[in-house]
Amino acid sequence: MKETDLTDLLYISYYWPPSGGPGVQRGLKFCKYLPQFGVQPTVLTVDEKQASYPLLDETFVQEVPEGLPVHRTATSEPFEYYKKLSGKKEIPYSGFANQQTKDNLVDKLFKFVRGNLFIPDARVGWNKHALRKADELLQSGKYKAIVTTSPPHSTQLIGLKLKKKYNLPWIADLRDPWTNIHYYDQLYHTALAKRLDEKYERQVLEQADAIIVTSEDTKRLFLNKPASIAVDKIHVIPNGYDAADFTFQSKPPKDEFLITYTGTITENYNIDVFLKVLAHLLSLHSEINYKLRFVGKVSEGMKKRIEKAGVLGITEFVPYVPHQESIKYMMESTVLFLAIADVENVYANVPGKLFEYLASNKPIVALGPVHSDMDRIIDECGAGRLFHYTAYDLMLDHMNQWSKAWKINPNLDLPYINHSRFSREALTQELAAIVKQLVR
């Protein structure tokens, strides 16, 4: 394909390398593969020296395609004041995973300020800088479409203004729900602030030419909003895995039954049944050396629950590591554990790491709502089993069978998982098709 045949796309994302975490991977992989399908992205993002990134992963910088135009701008955000006034060194993680179990007065104050003075979020200060640069880029007339990806959902307001000014095809990619996100009530919104946030959400849903979400349940969630949205305007493109990231050979340990969880986990994640099952297995199979490993941020409240369950002695906590190292930990495991928060609208939650779990060919044991999108994907791929938060007997029986199998052969890797439709390359082709259809 000739370079002149490519459709130029302005891709606007707050999170970009060297930011870490799952959010940055979606845009990075899209921009990596879009040119293969006739779309040339130009990235507009924030200056990494001024950005409020909870996590950093310098290895992602090496994955940015050579020659990809990336424009960075200044920003105006309150997080430096937050760190100075609160005495904390870290930016709050998604879901406040690095916060205390119970808010103290200072935490409540900052959450109230965040929820009522910075709408829809505290990174809205980037918008004026991004809009200035977007104007400069769009006035060239070269760009045929715009994509804005969020969180932070304030980024969607950039797309809203650019749509009104330039009337270019605009795609709003919402990686998470907006006013239904599971930690929304922790922000102490006043009625007025909540109405304004819902107004912004409604305007984006109505005025974007196409909306992309990561699960069927998120699509249903948005279609039930009091907004005029055509059903065929919302497209489901889940998160996925990049086959190029899986360079490590599978090496399950021979001397221990190693269960690994990667990513953030807070006390909103109801894993008590799993911990209880694991404690029971210790007594059933004293000859098996069980080990539970968390790779990523684990809240203090969750650590206390692990201790209370009696399995702290076999648990290892590995702090946040670069993405490639996280995959290495997966490939050196016996079984992978996955859970989603036990909160309202949890059906819409399909963690990005699920797809990398699938790509690892490791058996998955998951906790979540049955008949949810995550349950369906695991079942369709033959990758393991999801259990309800209360299904103690079923989970115990399942993991007991795995334990017996492990004693015969400590390699429980699955022979084949049908997960190719979730490759980043295949998913990017879907995005490219939407862009080209809108441009036509």
Side-chain angles (χ1 to χ4, degrees), residues 62-244:
Q62 302 163 19
E63 291 192 46
V64 176
E66 185 177 353
L68 175 70
V70 178
H71 299 272
R72 297 183 180 272
T73 77
T75 186
S76 306
E77 299 172 33
F79 288 110
E80 283 304 314
Y81 299 103
Y82 165 82
K83 290 194 286 186
K84 289 177 182 177
L85 294 173
S86 67
K88 297 179 180 179
K89 297 180 180 180
E90 294 182 314
I91 300 296
Y93 283 31
S94 173
F96 306 104
N98 55 341
Q99 306 294 296
Q100 298 177 13
T101 305
K102 292 185 178 179
D103 289 339
N104 58 35
L105 187 59
V106 173
D107 288 331
K108 287 182 179 179
L109 175 61
F110 277 112
K111 285 183 179 179
F112 178 85
V113 170
R114 151 53 181 106
N116 293 279
L117 298 187
F118 299 95
I119 302 172
D121 53 68
R123 291 173 176 82
V124 70
W126 178 53
N127 287 22
K128 62 182 179 183
H129 303 275
L131 281 165
R132 193 177 303 125
K133 186 63 181 181
D135 276 333
E136 179 186 321
L137 293 169
L138 291 173
Q139 283 170 10
S140 68
K142 113 183 223 188
Y143 298 98
K144 303 298 185 252
I146 300 166
V147 169
T148 48
T149 184
S150 65
H153 292 312
S154 53
T155 303
Q156 302 299 349
L157 303 187
I158 298 172
L160 191 64
K161 289 193 174 182
L162 294 177
K163 177 64 183 177
K164 291 177 180 177
K165 186 170 183 178
Y166 295 96
N167 198 31
L168 286 171
W170 167 39
I171 301 168
D173 177 37
L174 293 112
R175 305 188 305 271
D176 288 328
W178 190 322
T179 57
N180 299 101
I181 193 74
H182 65 85
Y183 53 83
Y184 195 74
D185 290 341
Q186 296 182 42
L187 295 170
Y188 308 109
H189 291 94
T190 62
L192 180 62
K194 198 168 185 178
R195 282 199 300 272
L196 180 57
D197 208 9
E198 289 171 346
K199 175 187 173 185
Y200 287 151
E201 179 185 42
R202 186 172 63 253
Q203 287 178 330
V204 169
L205 293 175
E206 290 180 341
Q207 296 184 38
D209 296 285
I211 298 156
I212 299 175
V213 295
T214 58
S215 73
E216 291 289 346
D217 278 304
T218 305
K219 178 176 179 176
R220 286 189 282 271
L221 193 66
F222 284 139
L223 286 174
N224 286 330
K225 296 280 181 183
S228 302
I229 314 168
V231 176
D232 59 357
K233 190 167 93 168
I234 303 184
H235 307 265
V236 179
I237 301 182
N239 291 303
Y241 69 91
D242 191 346

